[in-house]
Amino acid sequence: MSRPRNSLRLVFAVVALLLCLGTAAPALASSSNATTVTPGSRLHGGLARLVSDPALLDRRLRGLVPGYREGEIPVFALLRDQVTPARLGMLNSHGGRILRTYRSLPLVALAAGPRGLLSMAGLPWVRWMTPIEVVLALDTQPMVDQAHPPTGTPIDISVPTLWKQGISGSGVRIAILDTGIDLTHPDLDDLDFRHWSDPPNPPAVGAPAKVVDARNFNGGACAAPSSGGFDGHGHGTHVAGVAAGTGEGDPTTNADDGRVMGMAPDAQLGIGKVLTDAGAGINSDLIAAMEWAAMPAGSGPAACRSIGAQVVNLSLGSDSRPLRLNTGHDVDAVSMALNHLAATYGTLFVSAAGNSGPYLGSVLEAPGGASQALSVGATAKDWDLNHDATASGDTCAGYIHSQPTCPQGFPGVQGSSLAPFSSHGDVEGRFLKPDVAAPGLNIVSAQGVTGAGLAASDLNMGTRNDPFYATASGTSMASPATAGVAALLVQGYRDRYANLPSGPSGVAGVEARAYVLLRAALMNTAASGLRDARWILTTDNGTIAAAAACPPTPDPLVPLLCSFKNIITGSLIGSVLLAGERNATSDPFVGPLGEGAGKIQPVAALRALRDGLVVYRGASSAAAATNPVHQEFEGSWELGDVQAGTTEGDPFVLRAAPGAPAVTVHFSLLPGHPSDGSRSIPISGPGAWSVHLPGGTSVPAGGSRTVAFSLQVPANAPAGIYTGAVQVTVSNGQVLRIPVLASVPLHDPVTAAGNSPGAQSRVASATDVFAKGDTMWPSVVGQANGAMADWSTYAVQLGSGLARARFTAWDAAAGDETYDLYLYRDAQLIATTHPFTAPDSGVTDVPANNARGPTPSSSPQVLDVTNPAPGRYVVVVERARVGTVNAITGDFGSYVVTLDEIGH
């Protein structure tokens, strides 16, 4: 999901595809005099600033938008009702050049000059407009790995158990929307799982096609492949192999047969190329591909018939900071389209959570943050964590291939761990993402013959001495692993009942479609308790001392990266990898903000879906039938903002499989293991929250029940994010879990200036554990320099009639770190203390930032906002610089943030 970084290019050595925003936000207020953004504007996503200053347009769009004309701004326009020829003509008459229209939504992609856009925004049937954005391929993170027959990725989550039952994805379609695939790859050219023929082995005559259709959506098209390769990058081929590779290997020899297989090797594939061979595209093309993938097979125009996929994989996303907050509002066009397609057609969209971990709030905005997507974080394989060999056969796990011996052994005592690069939630301070986690570290899969982009990131070139495979890491790999497992669940259920799963929503006339039950099964049964992870790999001679000595990198453009203090300090480039020791049993749990519900367990998930019970949140209204809001249909209990002293309640549906016997269900709340920055929901003692769960509940054979969960927050509850889990114990032996997230907003009820902060107006973070210093901030393409960043996000509720709201933050540990504050409203940045080159540029003023001193309690960072409008805000606390000696080392300690609301 990212590509190697040097002084001229961003290099996140962790990979999954990234939708990088080049648009600007509304004007930023200074730290002393902030103005608010007017809610309800028809110009969303920073479009107002682009209209006022078109020079801010992401220059990459010029080469990606078909027929681009200088001065144009490409946008989406959402209409209030249907798109008609007359309305398209009206948009055109106002200067709009139509790029795409869509079948599932009244959405139009167009390009126009600033004056034309303002004119179109005034049309009464235009609801809102938002910029079209760039989609980037986040190449995979290079990690060393080779195939090992008994311990590959499927083994790590017990998928072969389902294969032995004849459940291998047969009859299920998975759409891969990515850089395309190598259509000639032996693992992807036909359905020959366990039926590999002797060499030479072309696709069997008359055999069912592995790829049911392949289309190139770049440049506004829906074109058939012009060549057999169809993937000059390689990311899409690797992703497709993880989901559904058949494991044939080198067609000239049978020695490789069955050693590298995808999760659902008998599934068919639909390939939508939404990124060019350079790894770039635009989200207007992505939405068209999503429609093609999800809408009923055979529907649509003859030149672009939809394929009706049951599962769609999206190993791509958008890093929306710093100008836009990661948001659960789903106002971005991709999330809106995804939610609508999922709810309308029942398609499960599986999306990578991103590789910006371990920073809190680093989950990608779109589509990984979309409410109806199944967002996936990455784990290490358990084998790799406990052996001196990776699960792919290296003799020294954690050491480069040239090292002949393992200088140190590791006992097999380490528990399951989240990958160190996996992005963490929450989203906007109140929504839980990722949803689940799956293997994504050191993953062997198909390598396309023309996949130059992926090959450049493969440390082990010719993995296992086989040019048909490559090794990659990232949530880009975890997402298709989960998509493949979802295909297994679809087949297992359909083989039993001859249709797709569905259930009640709790609202008359609204059905919970297949994706709701699939997501619930995967989340309900996931294994929680993942540990916080350190990097597994290390340097030349496999010692921490060598890493600390700062060995030279093979890439002359990559600066030397020194300093090793239990944190990662540099890029993973070439053949030198910097890393820390593996986890110890004392390492902390990541909690729901890192793991979501936990690591997927396919066998248990199928049992719940096909033979037992699943639990999911019900709908709130009939509108959820096509346009669900964020909490609806989730496999988690997201309470959002809960004011201290109030009660919040939500409906949950217990859905038994059609053939399941009657059961009795009992509920209990577990405080769980919070991520740093969050707290456990207190269930006993002083300050305990009052949680009301149903008593013993009977679910009839093959039936359902709708129950209510409610929670009362004490009036003196401290502000912050709280996590836990509802445990659901079923009389058939199932034990299910529903992760819980609630947010108590910062609020100062005393409006006197300078009053001591109370429980609601002060948050003290936990100490960070393994936060690493290799993430660039801000993540703007071409901007090599930035601060190390660690984000924490808190909801804020400002009262009415305020003259000023003052936020402060300081380092509560050694006092040697520098902090910044960012204030958002309606997902738009309105005030910050960060030194940007221009107020709304998103580019750090590097000399100014480097010259800043630390933020101790004696000299806190202060953000004043004058005459703020009442209502909900979000404040983000960011580590802008770490340590005073250099920007790499530091204690990564705790901080305090306070709010003082001052009346007139």
Side-chain angles (χ1 to χ4, degrees):
M1 257 185 107
S2 124
R3 60 181 69 187
R5 148 182 122 201
N6 56 37
S7 60
L8 298 177
R9 63 181 189 263
L10 288 176
V11 179
F12 302 110
V14 287
V15 184
L17 291 169
L18 198 66
L19 190 79
C20 191
L21 301 178
T23 58
L28 302 185
S30 70
S31 62
S32 60
N33 187 21
T35 58
T36 60
V37 176
T38 304
S41 169
R42 291 185 181 181
L43 303 182
H44 288 186
L47 183 54
R49 287 298 300 142
L50 280 176
V51 167
S52 65
D53 187 0
L56 294 172
L57 184 71
D58 189 335
R59 297 189 63 85
R60 295 167 297 172
L61 288 166
R62 291 163 168 79
L64 296 170
V65 173
Y68 179 80
R69 301 168 186 172
E70 194 60 37
E72 286 184 331
I73 301 172
V75 301
F76 292 107
L78 180 69
L79 309 190
R80 296 191 178 275
D81 46 40
Q82 71 271 20
V83 177
T84 65
R87 287 179 173 175
L88 292 175
M90 182 68 73
L91 292 171
N92 186 264
S93 70
H94 283 255
R97 187 169 60 86
I98 307 301
L99 303 175
R100 278 193 185 273
T101 58
Y102 301 92
R103 294 187 284 143
S104 65
L105 290 166
L107 191 69
V108 179
L110 58 88
R115 182 174 298 180
L117 292 177
L118 288 174
S119 179
M120 285 181 270
L123 295 171
W125 36 267
V126 172
R127 181 177 296 175
W128 51 255
M129 305 174 79
T130 193
I132 287 173
E133 296 161 352
V134 174
V135 183
L136 290 180
L138 309 165
D139 311 328
T140 54
Q141 173 176 335
M143 289 286 198
V144 178
D145 193 16
Q146 290 188 343
H148 187 279
T151 54
T153 306
I155 302 295
D156 187 63
I157 49 176
S158 302
V159 163
T161 300
L162 299 180
W163 295 347
K164 291 176 182 178
Q165 301 172 22
I167 301 171
S168 53
S170 179
V172 183
R173 290 184 177 180
I174 305 172
I176 306 293
L177 307 185
D178 212 289
T179 61
I181 68 166
D182 179 355
L183 294 166
T184 67
H185 194 286
D187 282 13
L188 302 169
D189 64 355
D190 61 355
L191 287 171
D192 60 357
F193 174 52
R194 290 181 173 167
H195 298 284
W196 310 293
S197 58
D198 292 331
N201 186 22
V205 176
K210 180 72 170 178
V211 176
V212 295
D213 196 9
R215 295 282 161 178
N216 187 344
F217 288 87
N218 290 302
C222 180
S226 58
S227 66
F230 198 51
D231 181 12
H233 188 279
H235 188 276
T237 299
H238 198 275
V239 164
V242 172
T246 62
E248 182 175 351
D250 189 335
T252 64
T253 174
N254 59 12
D256 219 14
D257 288 352
R259 300 189 71 180
V260 180
M261 291 174 286
M263 298 292 145
D266 271 330
Q268 292 184 306
L269 294 172
I271 305 302
K273 185 176 176 66
V274 297
L275 303 166
T276 67
D277 290 344
I282 48 179
N283 59 355
S284 54
D285 292 337
L286 172 61
I287 293 175
M290 290 163 58
E291 287 188 332
W292 165 83
M295 296 182 76
S299 65
C304 195
R305 299 289 192 199
S306 293
I307 63 170
Q310 291 81 26
V311 183
V312 178
N313 185 77
L314 299 165
S315 289
L316 45 81
S318 65
D319 185 5
S320 61
R321 299 169 298 170
L323 295 177
R324 272 172 45 189
L325 176 69
N326 287 359
T327 172
H329 288 162
D330 295 339
V331 295
D332 68 275
V334 173
S335 292
M336 182 189 68
L338 186 154
N339 293 343
H340 177 75
L341 290 167
T344 304
Y345 302 106
T347 310
L348 178 66
F349 286 86
V350 184
S351 178
N355 299 328
S356 298
Y359 304 119
L360 298 176
S362 58
V363 167
L364 302 177
E365 179 181 351
S371 68
Q372 304 307 306
L374 180 67
S375 178
V376 185
T379 70
K381 298 190 292 292
D382 290 343
W383 168 279
D384 293 1
L385 296 173
N386 291 288
H387 291 78
D388 278 337
T390 67
S392 302
D394 283 332
T395 56
C396 298
Y399 301 95
I400 63 171
H401 283 222
S402 62
Q403 179 64 26
T405 60
C406 301
Q408 181 178 1
F410 293 94
V413 296
Q414 182 168 329
S416 295
S417 297
L418 197 71
F421 53 77
S422 188
S423 289
H424 288 220
D426 54 81
V427 175
E428 204 188 343
R430 58 177 175 171
F431 299 125
L432 182 64
K433 291 289 180 178
D435 295 306
V436 293
L441 181 63
N442 287 349
I443 305 301
V444 175
S445 185
Q447 165 69 53
V449 295
T450 57
L454 186 85
S457 297
D458 183 5
L459 264 181
N460 182 20
M461 293 298 293
T463 294
R464 297 174 30 249
N465 297 316
D466 189 337
F468 286 92
Y469 295 102
T471 302
S473 295
T475 56
S476 275
M477 287 64 248
S479 181
T482 306
V485 168
L488 300 179
L489 301 190
V490 170
Q491 184 202 341
Y493 187 95
R494 195 160 59 182
D495 284 355
R496 176 74 58 85
Y497 301 113
N499 54 27
L500 295 174
S502 64
S505 69
V507 172
V510 179
E511 179 184 52
R513 304 297 300 273
Y515 82 95
V516 176
L517 280 77
L518 290 168
R519 180 168 64 173
L522 288 164
M523 293 184 68
N524 292 168
T525 60
S528 66
L530 295 177
R531 297 281 184 173
D532 210 338
R534 308 182 193 187
W535 296 100
I536 297 173
L537 304 182
T538 186
T539 57
D540 286 348
N541 63 3
T543 67
I544 298 300
C550 194
T553 60
D555 187 339
L557 294 178
V558 178
L560 297 182
L561 297 162
C562 299
S563 179
F564 224 102
K565 206 170 183 181
N566 287 335
I567 61 173
I568 293 298
T569 59
S571 301
L572 305 177
I573 304 300
S575 63
V576 175
L577 300 171
L578 300 181
E581 66 271 28
R582 300 185 186 196
N583 293 7
T585 55
S586 61
D587 286 342
F589 297 98
V590 297
L593 299 187
E595 69 183 9
K599 188 175 181 179
I600 60 172
Q601 304 295 312
V603 176
L606 180 59
R607 181 193 175 201
L609 180 71
R610 185 188 64 184
D611 308 315
L613 188 79
V614 296
V615 186
Y616 51 88
R617 190 191 183 278
S620 302
S621 69
T626 55
N627 294 294
V629 298
H630 203 286
Q631 292 99 325
E632 291 176 320
F633 301 136
E634 293 279 8
S636 53
W637 187 15
E638 298 176 329
L639 291 113
D641 300 339
V642 185
Q643 300 289 334
T646 63
T647 300
E648 177 71 25
D650 294 298
F652 276 81
V653 177
L654 313 177
R655 173 58 170 165
V663 293
T664 301
V665 181
H666 295 273
F667 304 87
S668 59
L669 184 75
L670 306 176
H673 304 292
S675 305
D676 62 343
S678 71
R679 312 165 189 245
S680 291
I681 295 174
I683 59 176
S684 63
W689 293 16
S690 180
V691 181
H692 302 283
L693 299 174
T697 302
S698 297
V699 180
S704 63
R705 285 281 187 269
T706 300
V707 297
F709 298 172
S710 66
L711 180 151
Q712 183 177 27
V713 180
N716 62 348
I721 296 170
Y722 293 81
T723 61
V726 173
Q727 181 169 287
V728 182
T729 305
V730 189
S731 58
N732 65 3
Q734 285 183 274
V735 178
L736 310 176
R737 290 179 70 263
I738 303 167
V740 181
L741 184 141
S743 180
V744 177
L746 276 163
H747 174 58
D748 180 14
V750 181
T751 58
N755 60 289
S756 297
Q760 266 87 56
S761 57
R762 180 182 187 274
V763 173
S765 76
T767 301
D768 257 329
V769 185
F770 300 135
K772 63 188 192 310
D774 67 344
T775 294
M776 300 301 287
W777 172 249
S779 57
V780 177
V781 169
Q783 185 70 21
N785 297 306
M788 312 308 164
D790 193 2
W791 282 68
S792 294
T793 307
Y794 300 101
V796 176
Q797 186 68 38
L798 295 183
S800 59
L802 297 180
R804 188 171 59 182
R806 167 170 285 196
F807 298 86
T808 61
W810 66 87
D811 182 5
D816 64 345
E817 299 179 32
T818 307
Y819 286 88
D820 268 322
L821 292 165
Y822 297 76
L823 187 67
Y824 296 84
R825 185 164 193 192
D826 295 329
Q828 301 296 320
L829 179 61
I830 63 169
T832 182
T833 61
H834 189 74
F836 290 113
T837 55
D840 46 18
S841 68
V843 179
T844 297
D845 184 333
V846 177
N849 194 53
N850 289 345
R852 303 167 77 190
T855 310
S857 59
S858 59
S859 181
Q861 189 67 265
V862 177
L863 180 64
D864 275 336
V865 184
T866 58
N867 300 314
R872 185 184 188 278
Y873 293 74
V874 171
V875 66
V876 172
V877 185
E878 178 242 339
R879 288 173 175 83
R881 280 175 55 81
V882 182
T884 55
V885 177
N886 66 55
I888 298 267
T889 59
D891 56 69
F892 282 97
S894 57
Y895 61 83
V896 173
V897 59
T898 67
L899 167 62
D900 188 10
E901 298 183 41
I902 303 167
H904 284 284

